[in-house]
Amino acid sequence: MTILVAVSDTPEGRAALAQAVAEAKMLDTDLVAMNLGLRPLDVARYKEAVAITVVDRHGRGDRDPADAVLDEVQERGIERLVIGMKRRSPVGKAILGSLSQRLLLNCPVPVLAVKVD
């Protein structure tokens, strides 16, 4: 079993990474972290807990983040996806859509959604 976490440069992304590390450690499996941000992803403090492979979305072409995550799920045979979610108003959800919403609706594997306190 392999877990994929979609990590952005936000508190939600950092919370998703922390929860994904805990899930991978609990299930004794490896973790793939997809960096959706513009800065390099620092996973040094989690290296002792679990084996982490970092994949940079921008290194694989400039494409939509949701498509990049869903492609990674298919290519690597991922069995669980972890994402961070932000509280949004119903109007914001209907008009703007969101990366989280697209992943929840289109992902072929179970998705663990993490909210920041």
Side-chain angles (χ1 to χ4, degrees):
M1 171 184 235
T2 302
I3 297 173
L4 173 67
V5 58
V7 184
S8 58
D9 290 334
T10 62
E12 293 82 17
R14 290 185 292 277
L17 178 59
Q19 184 61 44
V21 168
E23 286 284 311
K25 189 174 180 180
M26 179 182 69
L27 297 172
D28 193 30
T29 187
D30 56 328
L31 177 65
V32 176
M34 163 105 23
N35 183 12
L36 300 178
L38 299 175
R39 292 180 273 173
L41 184 60
D42 181 22
V43 294
R45 67 179 173 179
Y46 300 115
K47 288 282 187 179
E48 291 182 15
V50 67
I52 302 176
T53 303
V54 177
V55 177
D56 191 11
R57 173 181 68 102
H58 296 291
R60 303 187 66 191
D62 192 24
R63 57 186 172 161
D64 180 65
D67 290 339
V69 171
L70 293 173
D71 288 347
E72 198 69 25
V73 166
Q74 294 293 333
E75 290 172 14
R76 291 188 182 258
I78 301 295
E79 296 182 31
R80 182 174 298 169
L81 174 64
V82 181
I83 60 173
M85 294 192 66
K86 176 187 285 189
R87 179 154 174 80
R88 299 180 61 197
S89 70
V91 172
K93 288 178 191 173
I95 294 174
L96 300 175
S98 74
L99 172 63
S100 301
Q101 184 178 23
R102 287 183 56 201
L103 291 173
L104 283 169
L105 294 174
N106 297 322
C107 189
V109 299
V111 179
L112 174 61
V114 179
K115 286 190 176 182
V116 177
D117 290 335

PDB file of all heavy atoms in Angstrom, residues 54-73:
ATOM      1  N   VAL A  54       9.357  12.662  -2.590  1.00  0.00           N
ATOM      2  CA  VAL A  54       8.763  13.943  -2.969  1.00  0.00           C
ATOM      3  C   VAL A  54       8.701  14.042  -4.481  1.00  0.00           C
ATOM      4  O   VAL A  54       9.687  13.816  -5.173  1.00  0.00           O
ATOM      5  CB  VAL A  54       9.574  15.125  -2.385  1.00  0.00           C
ATOM      6  CG1 VAL A  54       8.987  16.452  -2.841  1.00  0.00           C
ATOM      7  CG2 VAL A  54       9.610  15.050  -0.871  1.00  0.00           C
ATOM      8  N   VAL A  55       7.516  14.369  -4.987  1.00  0.00           N
ATOM      9  CA  VAL A  55       7.296  14.560  -6.418  1.00  0.00           C
ATOM     10  C   VAL A  55       6.891  16.012  -6.619  1.00  0.00           C
ATOM     11  O   VAL A  55       5.961  16.501  -5.969  1.00  0.00           O
ATOM     12  CB  VAL A  55       6.178  13.624  -6.936  1.00  0.00           C
ATOM     13  CG1 VAL A  55       5.904  13.882  -8.399  1.00  0.00           C
ATOM     14  CG2 VAL A  55       6.540  12.185  -6.689  1.00  0.00           C
ATOM     15  N   ASP A  56       7.581  16.697  -7.514  1.00  0.00           N
ATOM     16  CA  ASP A  56       7.284  18.099  -7.788  1.00  0.00           C
ATOM     17  C   ASP A  56       6.360  18.191  -8.995  1.00  0.00           C
ATOM     18  O   ASP A  56       6.701  17.722 -10.080  1.00  0.00           O
ATOM     19  CB  ASP A  56       8.587  18.855  -8.044  1.00  0.00           C
ATOM     20  CG  ASP A  56       8.399  20.346  -8.069  1.00  0.00           C
ATOM     21  OD1 ASP A  56       7.309  20.818  -7.678  1.00  0.00           O
ATOM     22  OD2 ASP A  56       9.337  21.049  -8.484  1.00  0.00           O
ATOM     23  N   ARG A  57       5.213  18.787  -8.815  1.00  0.00           N
ATOM     24  CA  ARG A  57       4.247  18.922  -9.910  1.00  0.00           C
ATOM     25  C   ARG A  57       4.833  19.710 -11.068  1.00  0.00           C
ATOM     26  O   ARG A  57       4.617  19.405 -12.228  1.00  0.00           O
ATOM     27  CB  ARG A  57       2.981  19.614  -9.418  1.00  0.00           C
ATOM     28  CG  ARG A  57       2.006  19.936 -10.543  1.00  0.00           C
ATOM     29  CD  ARG A  57       0.769  20.630 -10.034  1.00  0.00           C
ATOM     30  NE  ARG A  57       1.022  21.943  -9.546  1.00  0.00           N
ATOM     31  CZ  ARG A  57       0.755  23.062 -10.217  1.00  0.00           C
ATOM     32  NH1 ARG A  57       0.253  22.997 -11.425  1.00  0.00           N
ATOM     33  NH2 ARG A  57       0.981  24.230  -9.687  1.00  0.00           N
ATOM     34  N   HIS A  58       5.616  20.745 -10.767  1.00  0.00           N
ATOM     35  CA  HIS A  58       6.157  21.598 -11.815  1.00  0.00           C
ATOM     36  C   HIS A  58       7.260  20.914 -12.612  1.00  0.00           C
ATOM     37  O   HIS A  58       7.534  21.296 -13.733  1.00  0.00           O
ATOM     38  CB  HIS A  58       6.672  22.912 -11.214  1.00  0.00           C
ATOM     39  CG  HIS A  58       5.567  23.712 -10.603  1.00  0.00           C
ATOM     40  ND1 HIS A  58       4.593  24.306 -11.358  1.00  0.00           N
ATOM     41  CD2 HIS A  58       5.272  23.984  -9.315  1.00  0.00           C
ATOM     42  CE1 HIS A  58       3.741  24.935 -10.558  1.00  0.00           C
ATOM     43  NE2 HIS A  58       4.131  24.747  -9.313  1.00  0.00           N
ATOM     44  N   GLY A  59       7.872  19.900 -12.054  1.00  0.00           N
ATOM     45  CA  GLY A  59       8.892  19.162 -12.774  1.00  0.00           C
ATOM     46  C   GLY A  59       8.322  18.259 -13.854  1.00  0.00           C
ATOM     47  O   GLY A  59       9.039  17.735 -14.691  1.00  0.00           O
ATOM     48  N   ARG A  60       7.029  18.066 -13.842  1.00  0.00           N
ATOM     49  CA  ARG A  60       6.378  17.170 -14.803  1.00  0.00           C
ATOM     50  C   ARG A  60       5.513  17.941 -15.784  1.00  0.00           C
ATOM     51  O   ARG A  60       4.562  17.436 -16.321  1.00  0.00           O
ATOM     52  CB  ARG A  60       5.534  16.168 -14.037  1.00  0.00           C
ATOM     53  CG  ARG A  60       6.385  15.389 -13.039  1.00  0.00           C
ATOM     54  CD  ARG A  60       5.636  14.313 -12.410  1.00  0.00           C
ATOM     55  NE  ARG A  60       5.313  13.326 -13.442  1.00  0.00           N
ATOM     56  CZ  ARG A  60       4.466  12.349 -13.254  1.00  0.00           C
ATOM     57  NH1 ARG A  60       3.876  12.209 -12.106  1.00  0.00           N
ATOM     58  NH2 ARG A  60       4.211  11.490 -14.207  1.00  0.00           N
ATOM     59  N   GLY A  61       5.833  19.204 -16.004  1.00  0.00           N
ATOM     60  CA  GLY A  61       5.045  20.026 -16.921  1.00  0.00           C
ATOM     61  C   GLY A  61       4.103  20.922 -16.145  1.00  0.00           C
ATOM     62  O   GLY A  61       3.766  20.658 -14.999  1.00  0.00           O
ATOM     63  N   ASP A  62       3.702  21.988 -16.766  1.00  0.00           N
ATOM     64  CA  ASP A  62       2.809  22.942 -16.118  1.00  0.00           C
ATOM     65  C   ASP A  62       1.369  22.526 -16.400  1.00  0.00           C
ATOM     66  O   ASP A  62       0.798  22.871 -17.421  1.00  0.00           O
ATOM     67  CB  ASP A  62       3.087  24.357 -16.628  1.00  0.00           C
ATOM     68  CG  ASP A  62       2.401  25.410 -15.799  1.00  0.00           C
ATOM     69  OD1 ASP A  62       2.102  25.130 -14.628  1.00  0.00           O
ATOM     70  OD2 ASP A  62       2.161  26.516 -16.315  1.00  0.00           O
ATOM     71  N   ARG A  63       0.795  21.774 -15.500  1.00  0.00           N
ATOM     72  CA  ARG A  63      -0.556  21.284 -15.694  1.00  0.00           C
ATOM     73  C   ARG A  63      -1.404  21.568 -14.471  1.00  0.00           C
ATOM     74  O   ARG A  63      -0.911  21.973 -13.427  1.00  0.00           O
ATOM     75  CB  ARG A  63      -0.551  19.807 -16.034  1.00  0.00           C
ATOM     76  CG  ARG A  63       0.146  18.961 -15.001  1.00  0.00           C
ATOM     77  CD  ARG A  63       0.255  17.540 -15.464  1.00  0.00           C
ATOM     78  NE  ARG A  63       1.090  16.831 -14.517  1.00  0.00           N
ATOM     79  CZ  ARG A  63       1.125  15.543 -14.395  1.00  0.00           C
ATOM     80  NH1 ARG A  63       0.397  14.793 -15.149  1.00  0.00           N
ATOM     81  NH2 ARG A  63       1.911  14.977 -13.514  1.00  0.00           N
ATOM     82  N   ASP A  64      -2.666  21.321 -14.595  1.00  0.00           N
ATOM     83  CA  ASP A  64      -3.617  21.548 -13.515  1.00  0.00           C
ATOM     84  C   ASP A  64      -3.247  20.683 -12.306  1.00  0.00           C
ATOM     85  O   ASP A  64      -2.937  19.498 -12.460  1.00  0.00           O
ATOM     86  CB  ASP A  64      -5.010  21.175 -14.018  1.00  0.00           C
ATOM     87  CG  ASP A  64      -6.062  21.377 -12.970  1.00  0.00           C
ATOM     88  OD1 ASP A  64      -6.288  22.536 -12.571  1.00  0.00           O
ATOM     89  OD2 ASP A  64      -6.654  20.363 -12.542  1.00  0.00           O
ATOM     90  N   PRO A  65      -3.269  21.269 -11.094  1.00  0.00           N
ATOM     91  CA  PRO A  65      -2.897  20.491  -9.903  1.00  0.00           C
ATOM     92  C   PRO A  65      -3.753  19.247  -9.698  1.00  0.00           C
ATOM     93  O   PRO A  65      -3.229  18.189  -9.334  1.00  0.00           O
ATOM     94  CB  PRO A  65      -3.079  21.476  -8.750  1.00  0.00           C
ATOM     95  CG  PRO A  65      -3.028  22.817  -9.359  1.00  0.00           C
ATOM     96  CD  PRO A  65      -3.526  22.666 -10.762  1.00  0.00           C
ATOM     97  N   ALA A  66      -5.041  19.344  -9.914  1.00  0.00           N
ATOM     98  CA  ALA A  66      -5.910  18.177  -9.714  1.00  0.00           C
ATOM     99  C   ALA A  66      -5.554  17.069 -10.693  1.00  0.00           C
ATOM    100  O   ALA A  66      -5.483  15.891 -10.315  1.00  0.00           O
ATOM    101  CB  ALA A  66      -7.376  18.567  -9.859  1.00  0.00           C
ATOM    102  N   ASP A  67      -5.308  17.431 -11.952  1.00  0.00           N
ATOM    103  CA  ASP A  67      -4.920  16.426 -12.942  1.00  0.00           C
ATOM    104  C   ASP A  67      -3.584  15.791 -12.581  1.00  0.00           C
ATOM    105  O   ASP A  67      -3.393  14.586 -12.746  1.00  0.00           O
ATOM    106  CB  ASP A  67      -4.837  17.049 -14.335  1.00  0.00           C
ATOM    107  CG  ASP A  67      -6.197  17.421 -14.887  1.00  0.00           C
ATOM    108  OD1 ASP A  67      -7.209  16.864 -14.405  1.00  0.00           O
ATOM    109  OD2 ASP A  67      -6.254  18.267 -15.796  1.00  0.00           O
ATOM    110  N   ALA A  68      -2.652  16.598 -12.083  1.00  0.00           N
ATOM    111  CA  ALA A  68      -1.338  16.077 -11.697  1.00  0.00           C
ATOM    112  C   ALA A  68      -1.479  15.051 -10.571  1.00  0.00           C
ATOM    113  O   ALA A  68      -0.855  13.986 -10.606  1.00  0.00           O
ATOM    114  CB  ALA A  68      -0.417  17.215 -11.266  1.00  0.00           C
ATOM    115  N   VAL A  69      -2.310  15.360  -9.578  1.00  0.00           N
ATOM    116  CA  VAL A  69      -2.512  14.441  -8.449  1.00  0.00           C
ATOM    117  C   VAL A  69      -3.211  13.170  -8.926  1.00  0.00           C
ATOM    118  O   VAL A  69      -2.788  12.060  -8.585  1.00  0.00           O
ATOM    119  CB  VAL A  69      -3.312  15.124  -7.319  1.00  0.00           C
ATOM    120  CG1 VAL A  69      -3.711  14.119  -6.248  1.00  0.00           C
ATOM    121  CG2 VAL A  69      -2.510  16.264  -6.705  1.00  0.00           C
ATOM    122  N   LEU A  70      -4.250  13.312  -9.724  1.00  0.00           N
ATOM    123  CA  LEU A  70      -4.981  12.130 -10.204  1.00  0.00           C
ATOM    124  C   LEU A  70      -4.114  11.263 -11.115  1.00  0.00           C
ATOM    125  O   LEU A  70      -4.200  10.030 -11.060  1.00  0.00           O
ATOM    126  CB  LEU A  70      -6.261  12.568 -10.915  1.00  0.00           C
ATOM    127  CG  LEU A  70      -7.310  13.216  -9.997  1.00  0.00           C
ATOM    128  CD1 LEU A  70      -8.459  13.776 -10.821  1.00  0.00           C
ATOM    129  CD2 LEU A  70      -7.798  12.248  -8.948  1.00  0.00           C
ATOM    130  N   ASP A  71      -3.272  11.885 -11.926  1.00  0.00           N
ATOM    131  CA  ASP A  71      -2.345  11.110 -12.759  1.00  0.00           C
ATOM    132  C   ASP A  71      -1.362  10.331 -11.893  1.00  0.00           C
ATOM    133  O   ASP A  71      -1.031   9.178 -12.183  1.00  0.00           O
ATOM    134  CB  ASP A  71      -1.571  12.028 -13.714  1.00  0.00           C
ATOM    135  CG  ASP A  71      -2.439  12.559 -14.833  1.00  0.00           C
ATOM    136  OD1 ASP A  71      -3.556  12.052 -15.026  1.00  0.00           O
ATOM    137  OD2 ASP A  71      -1.978  13.509 -15.519  1.00  0.00           O
ATOM    138  N   GLU A  72      -0.873  10.963 -10.834  1.00  0.00           N
ATOM    139  CA  GLU A  72       0.071  10.303  -9.927  1.00  0.00           C
ATOM    140  C   GLU A  72      -0.591   9.110  -9.234  1.00  0.00           C
ATOM    141  O   GLU A  72       0.038   8.070  -9.039  1.00  0.00           O
ATOM    142  CB  GLU A  72       0.582  11.308  -8.900  1.00  0.00           C
ATOM    143  CG  GLU A  72       1.836  10.904  -8.211  1.00  0.00           C
ATOM    144  CD  GLU A  72       3.062  10.914  -9.110  1.00  0.00           C
ATOM    145  OE1 GLU A  72       3.094  11.632 -10.117  1.00  0.00           O
ATOM    146  OE2 GLU A  72       4.009  10.176  -8.786  1.00  0.00           O
ATOM    147  N   VAL A  73      -1.860   9.250  -8.873  1.00  0.00           N
ATOM    148  CA  VAL A  73      -2.607   8.141  -8.255  1.00  0.00           C
ATOM    149  C   VAL A  73      -2.630   6.946  -9.211  1.00  0.00           C
ATOM    150  O   VAL A  73      -2.382   5.808  -8.806  1.00  0.00           O
ATOM    151  CB  VAL A  73      -4.045   8.582  -7.890  1.00  0.00           C
ATOM    152  CG1 VAL A  73      -4.921   7.389  -7.570  1.00  0.00           C
ATOM    153  CG2 VAL A  73      -4.023   9.544  -6.719  1.00  0.00           C
TER     154      VAL A  73
END
